Every structure is written in C-alpha cells, then in structure tokens.
Amino acid sequence: MKRIFCKIFGHHYSVSKKVTLHIKEYKCVHCDKEVTTDVSGNLSALTPELQEINHALEELYQKRHRAAEHQQVA
C-alpha cells in the first residue's frame, strides 16, 4: 500500500544521515527507499557501492574537521 502512495504522489524523502555538508543520505518516509546525493547534487539510488563511498567520505570529513579543531585550540 505504501509503494502505491509513492507511485501516485512521489516519494517524500527525509535526511537519514549527513555524510558531509553537501552529501546526505535520504530515506522515503513511506516506502523506505534510500537515495543519496551524487557529485552533481542529484539524487541517486543508494547502492552498496555508494554506501561504502559515503562511509569513506564521512570518515575523511570527520578526521579533517577534528584536526582543524585541534589546531585552532592549540
């Protein structure tokens, strides 16, 4: 029933994870379809490959910001 709603009215995505400031993962509140922003800023289906890429980007982003915060404090 929920998939029918999405087919008629379209998906209603909400942010499920912030990877970086510009890259986020979204999930449809009705059918649980997951998408992510790609290099161009468009939504793409969240494949296992893209999940790995997002995870690596998130780790790099967090390390970079932790290092920047550490330098500002010192």
Side-chain angles (χ1 to χ4, degrees), residues 5-48:
F5 182 86
C6 290
K7 285 183 180 182
I8 296 171
F9 299 108
H11 296 285
H12 181 223
Y13 293 114
S14 65
V15 176
S16 61
K17 184 177 184 181
K18 292 183 180 180
V19 179
T20 68
L21 290 175
H22 302 292
I23 298 175
K24 297 173 180 67
E25 292 180 3
Y26 301 90
K27 190 175 201 176
C28 179
V29 296
H30 300 291
C31 69
D32 295 331
K33 179 179 179 180
E34 293 181 315
V35 294
T36 187
T37 49
D38 62 12
V39 178
S40 305
N42 300 319
L43 294 179
S44 299
L46 187 60
T47 62

Side-chain angles (χ1 to χ4, degrees), residues 69-74:
E69 289 175 5
H70 182 68
Q71 288 177 350
Q72 289 177 354
V73 172

